Amino acid sequence: MRICIHPRSFAAAIVQRRSAHAFSSAVAATPKRTFFMNSGIGGETSMIAANHRIETSTSTSKRTTPLQQAHTYGQLQHLSTLQPHPKGASEMQDEYGEMDSDGHTFVQTDFLLENGKLLPQAQLRYQTYGELNPETRDNVLVVCHALTGNASLHSWWGDLLGDGNAFDTSKYFVVCCNILGSCYGSTCPQSIDPRTAQPYGKDFPDVSVQDTVKLQLMLLQKELGIKSVASVIGGSFGGMQAVEFAVQAGSPAYGSFFSADGSPFVKSVIPIACGMQHTAWQIAVSEVQRQAIYADPAWMKSSNPIDATSGLQVARQIGMVSYRTPQGYQGKFGREIQQPAHTDESNSSHPSSPALYGSNAMWKAKSYLQYQGQKFLSRFDPVTYVKMTEQMDSHDVTRGRGPDVLQQVPIPALILGIDSDVLYPLEEQEEMAQLMPGGILQVIHSNDGHDGFLLEQEQVSRHITQFLEKLQES
């Protein structure tokens, strides 16, 4: 029996604190387990999440970053050097912890997309936590990530994961999949097209949210042998997937995935900070980000312009504004000026006065956005970002189904909205709650805008926990 411990400096101490009985019982229940530390989002380490691997012929384990993946294909010619974190930029909490491509891989050959095109090999990276009930195989939670997330749930919703938390690994087998088209281990524009032996680049096919959810459902049934899913949870892009799960696997009228007894395969959903379709407002916000990338001179020079990093930086900065609120930026930065860093000791006794306005004024808000844009280059490439935002724009559960589709989804649905969200305003969640027969609306109170679904973990956790407990009682 082999047990792998994720290499964190404090891992051994935490493992020792677990009781011998609990640890040995957990290990005995499963042939292979990998324990991951919870990095959280600016929080303290409080749990060890068990990454339970179910062996299959198509399952492989990888640990790479998106840029290492690009190196593998020999495509990355330019890497931006990330400057030290500027003082002041840390004053607005980041949404994500350490990001990588950890996980196991499901491969579906000849995957038919919604638009009729065929993807020769659709690869999906995923991670699991906790133990699957060997008899009923139904104690399952599926958690879907947002636009730039990954399958490492412990990296971005860590405070919700673990024994006694919302995603209680003592009760549930928790599955988190990367999105088809994302650069965190799944088939994406930087993957090799087996038909050409070259990266797809701009020729990567158009993938819809329906495609991503269908592939995840195939993974759950074919790879993991799951009989039913207790709930699907996600925020933002993850919320869109949760709504799509409700239709594909929770609607007798429109669904394609069912349990053996004919009941819905997915028993409940918790979509957060999203609507039933991407609106003109959200498409416009996505498009202006894509236009920033298209305006980069490198975009037109190649069929796989991974060097269009200047445009990608600006696109990320636009996104970082849309995810927050005027109150959030004012409260964190105000009109404060970033003090210049002095690296030349000979001039340290006569510091230059920072510009108070004009082109040379380094507002703290400006410093924060520049840092976030530059930091993002280590996580994404321009082509993947374009394709992923286009996939978000595809979100529309009524397409090909009709305007009454959500009224034909009888399963319970906890719909969470954020009262300060300017990107996915609260009225969109109110609409879904009214349309879904089992819909319940709860409001997250936050000054952080759309990113409140990641940052207000205490409120989100409380609502999820109460909802799941009520489902168990019924």
Side-chain angles (χ1 to χ4, degrees):
M1 185 177 297
R2 180 182 178 185
I3 302 171
C4 301
I5 305 298
H6 194 276
R8 305 281 188 193
S9 60
F10 40 77
I14 294 181
V15 169
Q16 290 171 358
R17 285 201 295 268
R18 293 177 65 93
S19 69
H21 173 74
F23 187 79
S24 61
S25 299
V27 172
T30 305
K32 290 188 178 181
R33 294 167 68 92
T34 304
F35 292 92
F36 284 92
M37 301 312 305
N38 163 28
S39 63
I41 304 174
E44 297 180 355
T45 301
S46 60
M47 51 73 70
I48 297 179
N51 180 20
H52 176 100
R53 180 181 178 186
I54 298 179
E55 298 285 351
T56 71
S57 60
T58 58
S59 177
T60 58
S61 179
K62 300 286 184 181
R63 178 177 175 83
T64 57
T65 66
L67 288 187
Q68 287 171 336
Q69 184 180 11
H71 275 303
T72 301
Y73 303 134
Q75 294 298 304
L76 197 57
Q77 303 298 321
H78 169 74
L79 283 174
S80 174
T81 302
L82 188 63
Q83 298 300 316
H85 201 292
K87 184 178 180 182
S90 61
E91 294 179 13
M92 184 168 279
Q93 192 177 13
D94 280 348
E95 307 93 328
Y96 294 102
E98 181 182 350
M99 301 296 289
D100 53 42
S101 297
D102 281 1
H104 310 294
T105 304
F106 168 68
V107 178
Q108 176 63 44
T109 58
D110 296 331
F111 182 63
L112 184 63
L113 300 173
E114 182 189 354
N115 60 15
K117 293 186 178 181
L118 204 66
L119 200 57
Q121 288 188 332
Q123 176 174 301
L124 201 63
R125 190 63 50 84
Y126 70 96
Q127 291 205 48
T128 66
Y129 308 80
E131 298 177 12
L132 181 63
N133 186 311
E135 297 178 357
T136 61
R137 307 184 75 84
D138 63 354
N139 62 323
V140 179
L141 298 181
V142 174
V143 183
C144 306
H145 71 73
L147 174 63
T148 66
N150 63 1
S152 298
L153 176 59
H154 57 278
S155 293
W156 45 272
W157 251 356
D159 290 346
L160 275 66
L161 180 65
D163 293 3
N165 294 329
F167 308 142
D168 192 338
T169 49
S170 68
K171 297 179 181 178
Y172 295 107
F173 180 65
V174 184
V175 182
C176 185
C177 301
N178 191 219
I179 295 172
L180 179 61
S182 171
C183 54
Y184 285 104
S186 298
T187 303
C188 71
Q190 299 311 319
S191 301
I192 298 297
D193 182 346
R195 297 165 295 193
T196 66
Q198 297 294 324
Y200 285 100
K202 293 178 182 177
D203 292 330
F204 188 72
D206 294 329
V207 173
S208 70
V209 179
Q210 290 189 29
D211 295 326
T212 283
V213 169
K214 182 174 76 170
L215 187 59
Q216 291 185 49
L217 283 163
M218 295 172 75
L219 178 152
L220 295 171
Q221 291 190 340
K222 296 173 64 175
E223 171 107 334
L224 301 180
I226 290 168
K227 301 302 183 183
S228 68
V229 173
S231 195
V232 179
I233 305 104
S236 189
F237 198 167
M240 300 174 209
Q241 294 169 69
V243 178
E244 185 62 38
F245 264 101
V247 177
Q248 290 195 35
S251 171
Y254 292 101
S256 303
F257 293 82
F258 299 93
S259 297
D261 61 1
S263 63
F265 180 68
V266 169
K267 305 303 183 185
S268 70
V269 292
I270 308 177
I272 308 170
C274 69
M276 62 187 293
Q277 57 189 196
H278 231 218
T279 66
W281 166 249
Q282 291 137 14
I283 293 171
V285 173
S286 295
E287 182 59 27
V288 74
Q289 295 178 64
R290 291 190 290 265
Q291 289 294 332
I293 295 173
Y294 301 156
D296 190 312
W299 179 258
M300 298 303 297
K301 293 181 179 180
S302 168
S303 62
N304 187 28
I306 58 175
D307 289 336
T309 53
S310 295
L312 180 59
Q313 289 187 66
V314 176
R316 180 59 172 173
Q317 292 176 40
I318 294 169
M320 295 301 290
V321 173
S322 71
Y323 302 150
R324 299 301 178 101
T325 64
Q327 296 85 355
Y329 270 82
Q330 185 64 24
K332 295 296 183 182
F333 305 120
R335 290 182 53 82
E336 295 183 37
I337 298 293
Q338 182 73 39
Q339 295 299 317
H342 297 287
T343 57
D344 186 352
E345 294 184 1
S346 63
N347 295 329
S348 60
S349 60
H350 302 285
S352 58
S353 298
L356 300 180
Y357 57 89
S359 299
N360 293 326
M362 183 52 70
W363 306 103
K364 284 192 173 181
K366 176 181 177 179
S367 173
Y368 167 77
L369 291 174
Q370 289 182 344
Y371 174 77
Q372 290 296 332
Q374 189 178 36
K375 174 184 175 183
F376 194 60
L377 300 186
S378 66
R379 294 183 49 204
F380 255 76
D381 68 88
V383 187
T384 299
Y385 193 76
V386 166
K387 290 292 185 177
M388 287 286 284
T389 57
E390 289 176 342
Q391 185 178 162
M392 288 179 69
D393 290 347
S394 79
H395 174 55
D396 181 0
V397 293
T398 71
R399 186 176 59 250
R401 296 161 175 153
D404 69 334
V405 59
L406 290 185
Q407 294 169 303
Q408 304 299 318
V409 178
I411 61 175
L414 171 63
I415 299 159
L416 298 181
I418 303 164
D419 56 6
S420 60
D421 193 340
V422 296
L423 186 55
Y424 297 88
L426 191 57
E427 54 261 32
E428 295 185 24
Q429 294 87 59
E430 293 172 344
E431 179 186 30
M432 284 199 298
Q434 291 172 358
L435 290 174
M436 301 180 77
I440 301 171
L441 176 68
Q442 295 288 354
V443 179
I444 303 298
H445 302 287
S446 174
N447 287 328
D448 287 317
H450 183 61
D451 271 349
F453 83 93
L454 286 170
L455 301 177
E456 299 292 347
Q457 295 199 20
E458 183 177 349
Q459 292 186 63
V460 172
S461 178
R462 182 175 69 252
H463 287 303
I464 293 175
T465 300
Q466 292 174 352
F467 179 73
L468 294 178
E469 287 178 347
K470 289 181 180 178
L471 289 180
Q472 284 190 321
E473 292 172 0
S474 61

